[in-house]
Amino acid sequence: MSHKILSIWLIFGLCSTVLAQNSFQIKGVVKHANDLTPAVGATIVGENLYTFSSDTGAFTINNLSKAKYTFTISHIGCEPKTISVAVGPNMKELNVYLSEDATVLEEVKVNAKTSEREVMETPIVTQTVSKEFLDQNRENTLMQTLSKVAGVSTINIGSGQSKPVIRGLGFNRVAVVQNGIKHEAQQWGNDHGLEIDQHGIENIQIIKGPASLLYGSDAIAGVVDIQPNKIPQPNSFAGEVNIIGESNNDLLGVSAGVTTRKDKWFYRGRLTYRDYGDYKVPTDQINYENYVFELHENNLRNTAGNEADASLGIGFISDGIKTETVFSNVNAKNGFFANAHGLEVRSSSIDYDSSNRDIDLPYHKVNHFKITNNTAIKIGDHNLQIDLGYQNNNREEHSEPVPHGYMPTPSNTKERSFIKNTYSLNFRDAFKPTDQHDIVVGLNTEYQNNNIGGWGFLIPEYNRFTVGVFAYDQFEVNSNFHVLAGFRYDVGSVATKAYFDWYQSTVNNDDGSTSYIYLQRSQDKTLNFGSLSTSLGLSYIKNKTSYKVNIGRSFRMPLANELASDGVNYHMYRYEQGNIDLDPEISYQLDLAVDHTKKSFSIGVSPFINIFQNYIYLNPTSNYYETIQIYEYTQAKVFRIGGEFNTSTTILKKFQIDASVEYVYSRQTSGAKEGFTLPFSPPLSSLLSAKYQFNKLLFFNNPQFIADYRITAAQEEIVPPEEKTDGYQVLNMSFLTEIDVFTNNLPLEMRIKLNNVFDTKYFNHTSFYRLIDVPEAGRNISLSITIPFKK
Amino acid sequence: MKIKLRYFYFLLLTLIVACSSDDVGIDEEKPTISIDYADGFPQGCSELTRGETYSFRAQTTDNLSLASYSIDIHHNFDHHTHDDQVGDCSLEDIKTAVNPLIFIENYTIDEGGTTYEINVSITIPDDVDTGDYHCAYSVTDATGWQSRTSIDIKIIE
């Protein structure tokens, strides 16, 4: 195809040179700058002249006299171009290249609303995270990058793993969605991190509040929705290679991605590899209870890891249909701190300090394979969306075999393994019965099959099936006032399987005799749940200010571990006891969001009030089971209030200052821990950010300096077995720039980032290692280079 | 804009006031447990003889009410852990357990109270493996806070 165009273009080019008359003509070709395809039907307008470009992009203007002409060439989706031509003999053919308009719409919308306007109109409070934000703020994990968003924090397990926390709630209360499919792994686990490649993500929508209506169970506290990537332009080929190096954990990472599209078919692929050593903390010893752990060269012993990810997408787009299938695989292996993992203090004959890059015991490894298919079909007035997903999560925890209680020394290192298969099918139909109504009806189904292995027992094998149906209507009262109302009903069934210890325990019977039995840890049991979710929201726009109010009821189905745990978690040194009588968690929330945006100033505030009717909580009791403290899953009423505040101002166009504050207050208002907060409560925190944009500095194009100063208050609100955490202040700085290395090509992007500039020793209350008094990572210099390319 | 900022500060202030007013009445103190007194037993690196009976004693305290305690004696033939006492004991060579002493018992402190001395009489059986052992005490209070301490000991002929 491109050859044909090229030859036609060449013929036209040759033709134009042979013309030489008194009445002159302009001949030219209009093309798209990015992929050199002809711009068909471009308008060429000047004083007394007007024409269109043909199917090949060619145009001719006849009967011109010898003079200078100025005309403007415009085409849909492109930035118009104005050129001046001196018309005379021996004119060469003009080649006009039009660049894409900055806001290319992915699909042509009937109503010409910008996506910003749509976000303003919908009563659902979402926060959009762009590729630009991700690139500028990239940290070691996706969630660490997102924690710069007010109201979002993370639970980190070392330097390479983290899980999302929204307004103080995490684990299974935040749904992570990728390509329309809920990411399903072992989210309930303390030392589990999110298995998603953070490279190649273009757009993330964050909902900071209950969103069961749209996303079902688990979205009770919020959603991190990783959107499918944009469909590339026809006849395009683009890609990038990113190389990153870090000083603190000696990380080296490479990620390369390409996207290509002919006409209707498009493809994308990405490979990512990261390898890192133990991370360094600004202390040479760790004091945990009465123990003292000396650190070798500030290395947090055995926290090295690696990650290898691959993904491939194949898509097809035509009139009325759009479909893409994405295969991805994330494989990671991380060591755990050798001296104490969780709360258990360990000594070992392993020579951990011989290398800071080896991964010795204890460690975990995980492989997450995922296939998703997203298909959108337009039939008449109905926009149908079908999302299919299959996920296989295979996670293993290995540690040195050690006898515990009545358990003799196991024969291998595989303490636990989980193999979870999840099948998902989502369907939705969006239609407009009248101009004022946008109605969406849908169905979500999911089937999970969880298998266990290893010598340690924590959660049983189970099968889980859930179905939810929902409908909502966004009603336009007038163009500035919208109402959204919806409801949803979910039913679910969890079938747990029986498990018996592989070793005998000593049991003293009432009659004084002693028996040795294989204790039963879980039973064959099927439990059914059903729950209603509702939501009512208003959105009102007045001039530059938007107001949103939402009130809703969300739910979460109890997990198999909450229902049927019955075993010692040696990492946490606790005996975890499930409760088969737990009800689905119900939460009511009132959300407010006010945003005022002017050209060089914006301010926003988003407070919330939240009541949990029955928050499922792992309560530390006063009792022992075989000398291990019993923690039991119980339900308590919880009251929470908090919110975020953001402001941003631009001074003299070059200097931008952003400030944000986040705060959550939680109280258990019933149950054994009445008056206490919830575990992992993030403290009051604010982020001050200053950005200065230079014009040009030496050979740097568009250089930017960014300084981020985080001030976090002490966390005095704790619940057993937590410790209070002091406040801290940390400064991060970065320098971003473009460099024209290759002429006639896209500029190279470079980022130098200095984290924890003063090597401050501080503790993060929501870090997994906080419990054993491990401070956060010390100073880190990272250098990231991205080489984009295009054809 | 000033008006809006004022509203926000007002909101923030009410929030802070609302949150700091009811922080009374919850127990944030852990119990304590110690063998660091004259009668505390066993002391670090103690040698216990098979067939003998010993009084295992540790002092516990809490600000409100003690609840339960436990004693766990298990072998450390594989050197898997170490104690939290001052000074290191010399460990014997690593060996495989044949018939190690396993003592796992939980007790409740029914009377509660703010001080309690653990005093449990334990006889070391004649037939258990000799070598390095580990004795771990733990105590909880009524709220669910826990404290632990552990001691390296040896069982000898």
Side-chain angles (χ1 to χ4, degrees):
Chain A
M1 184 70 188
S2 55
H3 290 284
K4 257 185 219 165
I5 295 163
L6 194 68
S7 45
I8 293 166
W9 179 53
L10 278 170
I11 291 160
F12 271 93
L14 284 169
C15 291
S16 65
T17 54
V18 294
L19 292 164
Q21 307 162 355
N22 282 343
S23 137
F24 301 99
Q25 69 173 182
I26 298 172
K27 277 200 157 206
V29 175
V30 188
K31 294 181 176 193
H32 291 289
N34 61 337
D35 53 13
L36 303 181
T37 52
V40 181
T43 56
I44 297 104
V45 183
E47 206 178 317
N48 299 325
L49 52 95
Y50 182 84
T51 190
F52 295 100
S53 61
S54 69
D55 283 354
T56 59
F59 67 91
T60 313
I61 307 169
N62 291 315
N63 302 324
L64 299 172
S65 52
K66 191 175 174 177
K68 196 171 177 180
Y69 289 87
T70 302
F71 48 93
T72 302
I73 299 118
S74 27
H75 188 254
I76 296 167
C78 297
E79 296 215 31
K81 207 165 190 174
T82 304
I83 54 172
S84 295
V85 183
V87 173
N90 299 326
M91 277 198 58
K92 290 211 171 131
E93 193 190 65
L94 293 169
N95 288 318
V96 182
Y97 299 101
L98 296 180
S99 319
E100 274 172 47
D101 204 327
T103 53
V104 175
L105 293 176
E106 190 181 305
E107 54 205 306
V108 177
K109 307 225 170 178
V110 190
N111 52 349
K113 274 179 193 167
T114 61
S115 51
E116 285 89 352
R117 176 73 192 184
E118 286 192 345
V119 166
M120 269 175 95
E121 283 182 359
T122 181
I124 301 165
V125 185
T126 61
Q127 187 143 2
T128 304
V129 176
S130 65
K131 186 173 193 298
E132 190 192 5
F133 176 94
L134 293 170
D135 287 342
Q136 282 190 0
N137 298 292
R138 193 173 307 289
E139 298 288 342
N140 266 333
T141 65
L142 175 65
M143 286 320 304
Q144 286 168 12
T145 308
L146 293 182
S147 64
K148 213 181 152 180
V149 175
V152 179
S153 53
T154 62
I155 292 174
N156 295 327
I157 309 99
S159 69
Q161 284 197 93
S162 52
K163 58 203 300 161
V165 174
I166 293 179
R167 287 173 165 171
L169 298 179
F171 297 91
N172 276 77
R173 292 187 181 85
V174 172
V176 177
V177 175
Q178 189 177 26
N179 297 337
I181 299 293
K182 192 155 46 164
H183 186 81
E184 279 293 347
Q186 306 290 340
Q187 299 99 305
W188 56 271
N190 277 287
D191 36 20
H192 157 269
L194 193 59
E195 307 91 342
I196 287 179
D197 182 4
Q198 65 161 327
H199 289 275
I201 294 171
E202 290 178 5
N203 183 314
I204 300 176
Q205 302 282 337
I206 297 175
I207 301 180
K208 293 182 282 189
S212 292
L213 173 69
L214 301 177
Y215 296 89
S217 178
D218 286 15
I220 198 162
V223 181
V224 176
D225 188 350
I226 301 165
Q227 306 273 320
N229 286 348
K230 271 197 291 192
I231 292 169
Q233 298 284 329
N235 296 308
S236 67
F237 176 82
E240 58 167 37
V241 177
N242 174 271
I243 302 162
I244 187 164
E246 291 187 8
S247 66
N248 180 282
N249 58 356
D250 294 338
L251 175 138
L252 188 69
V254 183
S255 181
V258 289
T259 57
T260 180
R261 176 170 164 194
K262 289 291 177 199
D263 180 21
K264 288 177 174 166
W265 289 93
F266 57 95
Y267 310 89
R268 42 185 144 226
R270 178 166 289 272
L271 292 171
T272 300
Y273 185 75
R274 297 157 71 81
D275 192 291
Y276 49 93
D278 298 344
Y279 74 101
K280 292 183 183 65
V281 289
T283 182
D284 43 28
Q285 65 176 40
I286 287 173
N287 299 294
Y288 164 56
E289 292 189 339
N290 300 325
Y291 298 95
V292 178
F293 308 131
E294 302 286 343
L295 298 184
H296 175 69
E297 292 175 352
N298 301 86
N299 288 329
L300 199 65
R301 195 163 286 127
N302 200 42
T303 54
N306 58 49
E307 181 184 332
D309 312 328
S311 68
L312 176 72
I314 301 164
F316 176 81
I317 182 164
S318 182
D319 289 340
I321 185 165
K322 183 173 86 179
T323 181
E324 181 170 16
T325 305
V326 179
F327 302 82
S328 67
N329 196 71
V330 170
N331 188 292
K333 184 178 175 186
N334 302 73
F336 291 135
F337 180 43
N339 294 81
H341 181 64
L343 299 176
E344 187 188 22
V345 176
R346 301 294 305 269
S347 61
S348 171
S349 58
I350 296 173
D351 183 9
Y352 290 106
D353 298 336
S354 63
S355 162
N356 70 334
R357 294 202 85 85
D358 57 351
I359 306 167
D360 295 309
L361 296 165
Y363 68 86
H364 90 145
K365 58 181 184 178
V366 63
N367 191 81
H368 196 99
F369 175 71
K370 193 189 275 195
I371 309 174
T372 59
N373 173 275
N374 308 112
T375 301
I377 305 167
K378 192 168 163 57
I379 302 170
D381 295 332
H382 292 261
N383 289 301
L384 310 180
Q385 174 77 38
I386 302 152
D387 300 320
L388 291 164
Y390 167 70
Q391 297 174 75
N392 174 273
N393 184 275
N394 188 336
R395 183 168 180 272
E396 288 183 5
E397 278 180 38
H398 289 256
S399 60
E400 284 184 85
V402 163
H404 268 302
Y406 294 111
M407 180 183 78
T409 307
S411 60
N412 59 45
T413 63
K414 192 161 87 178
E415 183 172 359
R416 285 196 263 272
S417 81
F418 305 100
I419 299 171
K420 180 163 156 185
N421 293 300
T422 306
Y423 305 84
S424 315
L425 163 67
N426 300 330
F427 167 80
R428 54 189 278 159
D429 175 12
F431 58 99
K432 271 177 92 75
T434 72
D435 272 355
Q436 283 185 310
H437 291 272
D438 277 304
I439 293 178
V440 177
V441 294
L443 169 84
N444 299 141
T445 56
E446 192 188 77
Y447 177 74
Q448 289 179 16
N449 161 252
N450 192 60
N451 305 289
I452 61 166
W455 41 264
F457 174 79
L458 207 53
I459 71 163
E461 299 200 334
Y462 67 87
N463 294 328
R464 174 177 130 147
F465 181 68
T466 52
V467 188
V469 286
F470 65 91
Y472 66 89
D473 179 14
Q474 185 168 322
F475 173 68
E476 182 172 296
V477 180
N478 63 49
S479 64
N480 287 324
F481 186 33
H482 294 81
V483 179
L484 187 145
F487 64 89
R488 174 187 181 107
Y489 197 81
D490 285 81
V491 288
S493 157
V494 182
T496 60
K497 293 184 192 163
Y499 178 88
F500 292 86
D501 280 343
W502 56 271
Y503 55 89
Q504 291 175 325
S505 293
T506 309
V507 175
N508 296 319
N509 300 317
D510 292 339
D511 60 5
S513 65
T514 305
S515 36
Y516 301 94
I517 54 169
Y518 296 96
L519 289 176
Q520 181 165 11
R521 299 292 182 181
S522 72
Q523 296 177 350
D524 279 314
K525 194 132 193 172
T526 301
L527 295 156
N528 296 306
F529 301 96
S531 191
L532 178 77
S533 306
T534 52
S535 181
L536 176 69
L538 308 175
S539 149
Y540 179 64
I541 304 166
K542 192 183 179 195
N543 300 327
K544 307 238 179 261
T545 310
S546 74
Y547 303 85
K548 291 182 183 186
V549 185
N550 275 283
I551 184 157
R553 173 188 146 118
S554 273
F555 89 106
R556 184 178 70 87
M557 258 178 68
L559 303 171
N561 61 313
E562 293 166 334
L563 295 164
S565 278
D566 189 15
V568 177
N569 183 345
Y570 282 103
H571 293 172
M572 303 309 295
Y573 233 84
R574 65 193 183 201
Y575 181 87
E576 296 178 359
Q577 198 163 50
N579 180 352
I580 215 90
D581 299 321
L582 295 174
D583 296 319
E585 227 171 41
I586 306 289
S587 158
Y588 297 91
Q589 183 153 320
L590 173 68
D591 270 290
L592 234 77
V594 181
D595 276 290
H596 177 82
T597 309
K598 278 204 284 208
K599 201 174 176 189
S600 59
F601 178 77
S602 74
I603 189 162
V605 57
S606 48
F608 73 93
I609 294 175
N610 171 224
I611 292 163
F612 272 92
Q613 193 172 301
N614 53 336
Y615 183 94
I616 298 174
Y617 170 68
L618 186 58
N619 175 43
T621 70
S622 305
N623 304 320
Y624 284 106
Y625 173 85
E626 292 181 3
T627 77
I628 303 285
Q629 191 181 1
I630 297 172
Y631 280 55
E632 62 183 14
Y633 283 100
T634 175
Q635 311 196 90
K637 287 196 172 85
V638 169
F639 171 78
R640 303 189 320 128
I641 188 167
E644 301 84 35
F645 164 75
N646 300 286
T647 183
S648 172
T649 183
T650 310
I651 303 161
L652 302 168
K653 285 186 182 173
K654 300 280 178 197
F655 188 49
Q656 188 184 328
I657 300 173
D658 290 277
S660 64
V661 182
E662 59 192 68
Y663 181 71
V664 184
Y665 165 91
S666 312
R667 270 288 169 277
Q668 300 190 40
T669 56
S670 75
K673 293 291 178 288
E674 186 176 346
F676 280 91
T677 186
L678 294 175
F680 290 112
S681 284
L684 171 71
S685 185
S686 67
L687 181 67
L688 287 170
S689 183
K691 181 155 95 179
Y692 191 85
Q693 168 97 53
F694 296 90
N695 276 341
K696 196 165 161 70
L697 197 73
L698 304 171
F699 50 89
F700 300 126
N701 292 337
N702 297 320
Q704 292 179 40
F705 263 118
I706 304 172
D708 288 331
Y709 189 55
R710 185 170 283 281
I711 308 165
T712 299
Q715 182 53 284
E716 304 275 342
E717 303 264 297
I718 52 164
V719 60
E722 292 181 347
E723 300 260 349
K724 291 185 181 181
T725 305
D726 289 337
Y728 63 89
Q729 294 162 26
V730 180
L731 177 67
N732 294 345
M733 288 167 80
S734 45
F735 174 71
L736 288 91
T737 187
E738 293 177 354
I739 307 170
D740 283 315
V741 180
F742 315 105
T743 44
N744 302 327
N745 218 322
L746 295 164
L748 185 147
E749 293 155 25
M750 187 180 82
R751 190 191 72 162
I752 301 167
K753 195 163 195 295
L754 183 56
N755 275 15
N756 195 355
V757 174
F758 301 112
D759 206 25
T760 312
K761 181 183 173 184
Y762 68 99
F763 295 92
N764 179 351
H765 191 72
T766 61
S767 164
F768 176 70
Y769 285 137
R770 168 69 192 103
L771 288 171
I772 47 168
D773 284 323
V774 173
E776 292 300 290
R779 185 184 295 127
N780 178 37
I781 303 167
S782 71
L783 173 68
S784 155
I785 292 170
T786 305
I787 307 153
F789 50 86
K790 230 175 193 188
K791 199 181 77 176
Chain B
M1 209 54 256
K2 275 207 175 102
I3 297 166
K4 240 166 235 130
L5 273 176
R6 208 186 302 154
Y7 283 145
F8 173 73
Y9 291 136
F10 178 71
L11 189 85
L12 200 72
L13 204 71
T14 38
L15 260 173
I16 291 164
V17 172
C19 306
S20 47
S21 57
D22 59 353
D23 277 3
V24 282
I26 61 163
D27 173 24
E28 293 186 340
E29 258 182 68
K30 286 183 183 185
T32 67
I33 184 161
S34 175
I35 52 145
D36 197 10
Y37 64 106
D39 293 336
F41 185 85
Q43 294 290 322
C45 315
S46 298
E47 295 188 336
L48 281 65
T49 310
R50 290 200 296 199
E52 295 285 316
T53 300
Y54 297 92
S55 288
F56 281 65
R57 293 171 75 170
Q59 187 62 51
T60 65
T61 68
D62 185 54
N63 59 323
L64 290 174
S65 178
L66 292 156
S68 310
Y69 64 94
S70 76
I71 303 174
D72 175 3
I73 304 170
H74 56 266
H75 75 81
N76 192 24
F77 300 164
D78 56 1
H79 300 181
H80 71 270
T81 186
H82 53 84
D83 69 8
D84 58 358
Q85 305 298 316
V86 189
D88 285 336
C89 308
S90 60
L91 295 176
E92 293 171 15
D93 291 341
I94 288 175
K95 64 176 185 180
T96 309
V98 180
N99 180 30
L101 169 65
I102 299 176
F103 184 90
I104 296 172
E105 286 298 330
N106 313 316
Y107 308 87
T108 52
I109 306 171
D110 294 326
E111 60 271 36
T114 56
T115 59
Y116 180 83
E117 192 190 24
I118 297 171
N119 190 340
V120 177
S121 182
I122 300 171
T123 304
I124 311 297
D126 283 326
D127 57 347
V128 297
D129 297 348
T130 57
D132 294 306
Y133 280 82
H134 205 71
C135 172
Y137 282 109
S138 56
V139 63
T140 56
D141 69 9
T143 310
W145 292 103
Q146 177 180 236
S147 284
R148 294 184 286 153
T149 191
S150 61
I151 310 118
D152 282 343
I153 55 170
K154 281 183 203 300
I155 290 178
I156 56 172
E157 293 277 341

